[in-house]
Amino acid sequence: MGNQFKLRRAEDKDHTAIAELIFHSTNDWYQKHFKKNVFGGDPTTCSVFTEVYEDLDPGCCLIAEDQKNGNIAGSCFFHPRETHLSLGIMNAHPKYFGQGIAKMILNEIVNIAAEKQLPVRLVSSAMNLDSFSLYTKQGFVPRMTFQDMILTVPEKGLLQKPPEEINLVRDATIDDVPQIAELEFELNGIKRAGDYEYFVKNDSGYWGVSVFESSAGKIEGFLCSINSNGSKMLGPGIMRDINQAESLIYYELDSRHRGNTPVFLIPVNEGELVKTLYKWGARNCEMHLCQVLGDCPPMNGITMPTFMPETG
């Protein structure tokens, strides 16, 4: 590539171009391979990524700039946390496919993590073998497989009978954040309390967070969801068992996504949960992998990752 491209941190003036890059790059790949778009509308729908990511981690977006014309050839967000660094959405412009843009950006982010002595975690499509190879060549190891499921929620709510323990689910409050963060650390070995504080505060109006609280007053599971023009998705969340998972998923779908078709990631080894979701009307649309570079604590409970922010 010579000196044609330079890496730099994104600035506020780049946000519109980054949203356009995410929109066109992602839709171009899915059109070529599956004859469908992931993002509808126009590129402004992807401004939710720059908005949320910049709120959570100001200045943590790397872009590759074409020095010949000033165009953004690629971008990637990253999220430094106490226990890890997670890799956010990565895109290369279709005009620059095959020129090593993603590899150059990934190398720099891995170097940033190494300086902080942090493992790197990400959620990547299992359908995109170029992406899969990019990460595994760097040393990432797939640790868990998820099936992406979608479910259209009727305007009047789910038709199925609610799970028996739905009464133990409620909206989260800011006071729940420490317990939410500790539960994820106990089950998955990662910490990101700031993310959950941001979701619960919900200044943007996109987010919902629910918790499963036992009769003893202990939080045994939680689930976030986003409902914006650019993303309708359940997660992140984690639960100790299937009963909590069913109750939380039902609650988020029925209370925050009526009239929508949100996507959610379910571990493929949770067969009984998957069967229940099929009965509710869910169907599969893709597969994703949790990949980790470096130390990966055991993953217990039922993990539901998301794409915003991305930590498997």
Side-chain angles (χ1 to χ4, degrees):
M1 292 186 294
N3 295 319
Q4 180 180 352
F5 303 101
K6 71 172 182 179
L7 291 179
R8 64 174 176 85
R9 298 290 182 106
E11 303 172 14
D12 289 350
K13 65 181 177 65
D14 300 311
H15 289 176
T16 297
I18 292 171
E20 291 176 351
L21 170 64
I22 293 171
F23 182 88
H24 291 299
S25 172
T26 306
N27 279 349
D28 182 82
W29 191 89
Y30 278 91
Q31 275 291 339
K32 287 179 178 177
H33 293 85
F34 299 106
K35 308 298 181 185
K36 69 175 184 178
N37 287 338
V38 170
F39 301 116
D42 59 53
T44 60
T45 60
C46 289
S47 63
V48 66
F49 289 93
T50 55
E51 176 186 337
V52 172
Y53 289 149
E54 191 64 22
D55 284 347
L56 287 171
D57 300 288
C60 289
C61 177
L62 273 181
I63 61 175
E65 183 178 82
D66 186 340
Q67 297 194 87
K68 292 182 178 180
N69 52 32
N71 291 338
I72 296 177
S75 68
C76 186
F77 295 87
F78 59 96
H79 316 293
R81 297 293 179 263
E82 179 182 347
T83 53
H84 64 285
L85 183 148
S86 62
L87 193 69
I89 189 168
M90 181 184 289
N91 294 92
H93 194 282
K95 292 182 180 179
Y96 296 97
F97 281 175
Q99 296 189 42
I101 299 297
K103 181 179 179 181
M104 181 171 64
I105 295 174
L106 178 61
N107 286 343
E108 181 61 22
I109 293 176
V110 167
N111 289 338
I112 292 171
E115 290 174 2
K116 298 176 179 292
Q117 297 184 312
L118 293 173
V120 186
R121 302 174 71 108
L122 60 89
V123 177
S124 67
S125 172
M127 315 292 278
N128 187 335
L129 292 182
D130 290 334
S131 174
F132 177 82
S133 299
L134 171 71
Y135 298 125
T136 54
K137 286 178 180 178
Q138 185 67 248
F140 284 80
V141 178
R143 299 291 186 176
M144 186 170 285
T145 305
F146 304 91
Q147 54 195 87
D148 299 25
M149 306 187 82
I150 54 174
L151 192 156
T152 299
V153 183
E155 291 282 356
K156 295 184 179 181
L158 291 172
L159 303 177
Q160 293 76 16
K161 181 181 178 181
E164 291 183 4
E165 296 183 312
I166 193 76
N167 62 304
L168 295 177
V169 178
R170 60 170 174 80
D171 286 349
T173 69
I174 199 68
D175 292 335
D176 296 321
V177 170
Q179 273 202 73
I180 289 172
E182 284 302 316
L183 178 64
E184 185 170 48
F185 182 66
E186 175 193 343
L187 295 178
N188 269 6
I190 61 175
K191 280 190 176 181
R192 45 178 173 166
D195 292 359
Y196 298 117
E197 181 178 343
Y198 175 81
F199 300 150
V200 172
K201 285 183 176 179
N202 191 27
D203 292 336
S204 66
Y206 302 146
W207 296 95
V209 184
S210 54
V211 295
F212 186 104
E213 185 178 34
S214 71
S215 56
K218 183 178 180 181
I219 292 176
E220 303 287 2
F222 69 88
L223 182 59
C224 311
S225 74
I226 183 171
N227 185 352
S228 76
N229 289 335
S231 181
K232 299 182 188 298
M233 185 170 189
L234 307 190
I238 194 165
M239 312 86 186
R240 291 189 188 276
D241 64 36
I242 185 175
N243 294 326
Q244 297 152 9
E246 289 178 0
S247 297
L248 285 161
I249 293 170
Y250 190 102
Y251 185 89
E252 284 296 320
L253 290 173
D254 197 57
S255 63
R256 305 192 215 278
H257 288 276
R258 294 188 178 191
N260 294 329
T261 305
V263 62
F264 39 93
L265 273 58
I266 305 295
V268 296
N269 61 329
E270 294 296 335
E272 289 303 313
L273 176 58
V274 169
K275 285 170 61 177
T276 295
L277 294 170
Y278 283 147
K279 291 177 181 177
W280 292 359
R283 62 186 190 275
N284 297 312
C285 60
E286 199 174 341
M287 303 286 287
H288 274 77
L289 302 167
C290 163
Q291 297 202 59
V292 183
L293 176 66
D295 180 55
C296 180
M299 299 175 71
N300 301 302
I302 299 174
T303 298
M304 291 181 60
T306 184
F307 308 136
M308 195 182 305
E310 305 84 347
T311 299

